[in-house]
């Protein structure tokens, strides 16, 4: 006879699992606490209350139920004659399987209505102790902390008369990982510090990393989360590089509040467009066309993301262009049918991110770096015109768009932007040339101007950091660029200001740098 202890917050699939296990050749004894026992009883499944095993009632509002020698000795006893005889002498029967998941602490701390006392009450003690005890003794005991494992474990048990050792080891590792994540969440909440305490849940093994000879895995901060928190509607598994590019595209397009489109290739924006104040969501196609037009060569095989519902007109803007992945918060049913014909396109439908991830992590040799996420200019930042010539209203709006676009471009970064339609400048704005990742700013400017071609004439230039010399301004003058925005702060700022004044080019200093290494 097998004995199974159940104590779960998430009761999804529990009754089905209990009924499946009853199909095994040997009878099952179920022990459960509180609400778990009630759920089984209401389903007509015989169950013993934990209090019947411990001889003690639940105490202090149910916070103490399973913390008892009759429970933990039954779990921790090894599969030896010495241990089993010892617990038997105390009238304790060994527990063979522990099914437990924890109070929803992370849900509690994320709720705006939770008080500190509510959050503390959601710190699980007994559940963590059960998981650790069962996982430690995986040589004999099976531990299940994830309802998604119920079906496979029940089938394995029925087929083999037991859960295999390899499976028990895997489940033990999963239980310890859950405890680690849980403790990390508590520590982060108590200390408001994430530097040391960061862990994740394995979502999937990827085919390979950046290159075929590199192994890669995808982890999430919360269990059962997906890439971008969305759904892969069609297409093959995302690769390591795809995921990085999708993440960059999704973060970039979410910076814009009005209908926008972003084209990403190798973590590099090669086209960004945002519609104007009065544009409707149905006009998204114009943003898509403008973003692709910035660099149509690089757009082939790219990742494209939009921040509005993707419809048939938006798809027409692609023409014959092939993309690796298309991301949107929603796709119309009509466009889904058309996209289904593009078998090699991956389609992701995902909710727009809220930038709840306040820190970014990067690995370095023997350690890692952590920094606050750059979501734009800090509050109360004041931009100021430093030249004799003032920007026009349209130039100001174009410069503001270009400055925001700089956030997603690798340093050194130069972005050239212009109205989507010169005849209707209020329609929106787009990049016309992007220079990125260069070891000097002059080269970044040269690349942006070259990519823009004739579109550089009359465009507005944004630089993610200050000009150490006037050479970038001189370059812009030769290209007939109309206005400039940059942080300022160089000891030679006056040289750049004078160069702009000589050419009647307005320039704005933001006082904020946006390096992206």
């Amino acid at each position: 006879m097998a004995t199974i202890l159940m104590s779960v917050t998430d009761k999804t699939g529990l009754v089905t699992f209990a009924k499946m296990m009853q199909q095994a050749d040997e009878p099952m004894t179920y022990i459960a606490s509180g609400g778990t026992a009630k759920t089984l009883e209401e389903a007509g499944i015989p169950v013993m209350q934990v209090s019947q095993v411990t001889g003690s009632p639940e105490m202090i509002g149910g916070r103490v139920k399973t913390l008892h020698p009759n429970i933990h000795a039954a779990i921790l006893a090894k599969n030896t004659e010495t241990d089993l005889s010892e617990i038997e002498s105390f009238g304790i029967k060994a527990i063979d399987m522990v099914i437990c998941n924890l109070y929803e602490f992370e849900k509690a701390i994320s709720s705006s209505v939770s008080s500190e006392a509510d959050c503390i009450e959601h710190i699980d003690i007994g559940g963590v102790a059960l998981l650790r005890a069962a996982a430690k003794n995986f040589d004999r005991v099976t531990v299940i902390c994830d309802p998604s494992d119920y079906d496979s474990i029940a089938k394995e048990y029925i087929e083999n008369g037991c859960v295999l050792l390899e499976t028990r080891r895997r489940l033990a590792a999963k239980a310890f990982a859950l405890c680690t994540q849980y403790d990390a969440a508590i520590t982060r909440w108590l200390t408001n510090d994430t530097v040391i305490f960061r862990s994740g849940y394995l979502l999937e093994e990827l085919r390979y990393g950046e290159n075929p000879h590199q192994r890669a895995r995808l982890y999430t901060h919360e269990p059962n989360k997906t890439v971008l928190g969305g759904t892969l509607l069609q297409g093959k598994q995302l690769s390591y590089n795809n995921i990085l590019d999708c993440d960059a595209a999704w973060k970039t397009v979410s910076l814009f509040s009005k209908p926008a489109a972003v084209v990403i290739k190798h973590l590099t924006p090669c086209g960004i467009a945002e519609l104007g104040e009065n544009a409707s969501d149905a006009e998204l196609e114009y943003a898509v066309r403008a973003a692709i037009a910035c660099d149509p060569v690089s757009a082939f095989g790219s990742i494209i993301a939009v921040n509005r519902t993707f419809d048939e007109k938006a798809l027409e803007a692609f023409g014959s262009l092939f993309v690796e992945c298309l991301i949107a918060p929603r796709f119309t049913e009509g466009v889904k049918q058309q996209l289904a014909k593009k078998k090699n396109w991956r389609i992701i439908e995902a909710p727009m991110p809220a930038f709840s991830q306040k820190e970014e992590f990067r690995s370095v040799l023997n350690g890692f770096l952590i920094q606050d996420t750059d979501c734009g200019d800090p509050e109360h930042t004041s931009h100021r015109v430093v030249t004799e010539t003032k920007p026009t209203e349209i130039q100001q709006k174009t410069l503001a768009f270009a400055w925001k676009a700089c956030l997603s471009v690798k340093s050194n970064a130069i972005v050239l932007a212009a109205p989507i339609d010169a005849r209707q400048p209020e329609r929106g704005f787009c990049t016309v040339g992007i220079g990125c990742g260069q070891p000097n700013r002059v080269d970044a400017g040269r690349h942006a101007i070259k990519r823009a071609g004739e579109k550089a004439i009359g465009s507005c230039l944004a630089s993610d950091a200050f000009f150490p010399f006037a050479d970038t301004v001189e370059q812009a003058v030769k290209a007939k660029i109309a206005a400039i925005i940059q942080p300022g702060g160089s000891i030679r700022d006056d040289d750049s200001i004078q160069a702009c004044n000589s050419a009647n080019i307005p320039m704005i200093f933001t006082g904020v740098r946006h390096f992206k290494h």
Side-chain angles (χ1 to χ4, degrees), residues 167-180:
T167 303
R168 296 200 301 273
R169 179 188 290 272
R170 175 179 62 80
L171 293 172
K174 193 168 186 177
F176 279 123
L178 174 61
C179 292
T180 299

Side-chain angles (χ1 to χ4, degrees), residues 3 5 13 15 85 90 92-93 131 174 178 193 255 270 299 334 341 354 370 378 416 431 433 440 450 479 483 504 506:
T3 301
L5 173 64
V15 170
S85 296
F90 287 96
I92 299 171
K93 184 178 180 181
L131 290 177
K174 193 168 186 177
L178 174 61
D193 185 2
L255 292 171
C270 44
K341 301 173 184 177
I370 179 173
L416 302 184
T431 56
N440 67 74
K450 182 179 179 180
N504 293 318

Side-chain angles (χ1 to χ4, degrees), residues 308-357:
R308 293 293 192 276
T309 297
F310 193 88
D311 58 18
E312 291 88 332
K313 287 184 178 180
L315 182 58
E316 289 176 5
F318 283 68
S320 60
L321 180 69
F322 163 74
V323 297
E324 285 281 351
C325 185
L326 177 59
I327 315 168
R330 181 177 172 274
F331 293 86
T332 64
E333 290 304 316
V335 85
K336 283 181 183 179
Q337 296 175 14
Q338 293 186 39
L339 289 170
K341 301 173 184 177
K342 300 180 182 293
K343 301 298 183 182
N344 293 323
W345 287 30
R346 298 174 178 88
I347 307 299
I348 297 178
E349 194 171 72
M352 297 305 300
F355 283 100
S356 57
Q357 188 169 317

Side-chain angles (χ1 to χ4, degrees), residues 299-517:
F300 180 85
S302 65
I303 307 290
I304 294 184
V306 299
N307 62 356
R308 293 293 192 276
T309 297
F310 193 88
D311 58 18
E312 291 88 332
K313 287 184 178 180
L315 182 58
E316 289 176 5
F318 283 68
S320 60
L321 180 69
F322 163 74
V323 297
E324 285 281 351
C325 185
L326 177 59
I327 315 168
R330 181 177 172 274
F331 293 86
T332 64
E333 290 304 316
V335 85
K336 283 181 183 179
Q337 296 175 14
Q338 293 186 39
L339 289 170
K341 301 173 184 177
K342 300 180 182 293
K343 301 298 183 182
N344 293 323
W345 287 30
R346 298 174 178 88
I347 307 299
I348 297 178
E349 194 171 72
M352 297 305 300
F355 283 100
S356 57
Q357 188 169 317
K358 298 178 181 179
E359 302 89 12
E360 296 175 338
F361 294 80
R362 295 181 71 174
S363 62
V364 294
L365 191 63
N366 297 324
F368 57 89
L369 296 169
I370 179 173
Q371 69 169 353
D372 294 342
T373 301
D374 187 359
C375 297
D377 290 355
E379 195 175 355
H380 307 306
T381 296
S382 179
H383 294 188
R384 61 190 179 95
V385 179
V386 295
T387 51
E388 296 169 359
T389 304
K390 309 304 179 186
T392 65
E393 182 181 354
I394 291 300
Q395 286 174 342
Q396 285 182 322
K397 291 182 178 180
T398 308
L399 289 169
F401 165 79
W403 184 240
K404 185 176 287 187
C406 260
L407 278 173
S408 302
V409 179
K410 292 282 188 178
S411 299
N412 285 312
I414 297 291
V415 171
L416 302 184
I420 290 175
D421 186 341
R423 296 165 300 180
Q424 303 177 64
E426 293 292 345
R427 191 164 207 172
F429 308 93
C430 63
T431 56
V432 294
I434 299 174
C436 60
Q438 300 304 309
N440 67 74
R441 199 155 296 279
V442 176
D443 278 350
R446 183 179 296 116
H447 288 185
I449 292 168
K450 182 179 179 180
R451 284 196 171 95
E454 292 185 358
K455 293 179 182 179
I457 299 172
S459 67
C460 292
L461 182 152
S463 173
D464 66 337
F466 64 61
F467 301 143
F469 302 97
D471 46 10
T472 302
V473 173
E474 293 164 358
Q475 190 179 50
V477 171
K478 290 180 182 178
K480 299 181 180 180
I481 286 166
I484 295 173
I485 188 169
Q486 57 128 327
S490 167
I491 59 174
R492 297 183 180 85
D493 274 347
D494 287 344
D495 294 347
S496 294
I497 293 171
Q498 182 56 47
C500 284
N501 284 335
S502 298
N504 293 318
I505 292 178
M507 182 162 64
I508 293 175
F509 279 5
T510 66
V512 180
R513 188 183 75 185
H514 288 296
F515 267 162
K516 186 176 180 64
H517 275 41

Side-chain angles (χ1 to χ4, degrees), residues 124-200:
D124 204 315
I125 303 300
V128 173
L130 290 176
L131 290 177
R132 289 179 62 84
K136 177 178 179 178
N137 200 23
F138 70 86
D139 184 62
R140 182 182 66 79
V141 179
T142 301
V143 59
I144 304 176
C145 63
D146 183 353
S148 68
D149 288 320
Y150 288 162
D151 188 62
S152 62
I153 298 305
K155 288 178 180 177
E156 182 173 316
Y157 190 97
I158 293 169
E159 182 179 344
N160 299 286
C162 66
V163 178
L164 302 179
L165 177 60
E166 181 180 351
T167 303
R168 296 200 301 273
R169 179 188 290 272
R170 175 179 62 80
L171 293 172
K174 193 168 186 177
F176 279 123
L178 174 61
C179 292
T180 299
Q181 179 77 16
Y182 198 77
D183 287 342
I186 296 168
T187 305
R188 287 198 300 271
W189 178 69
L190 287 171
T191 63
N192 197 29
D193 185 2
T194 62
V195 175
I196 298 174
F197 302 96
R198 176 64 70 178
S199 57

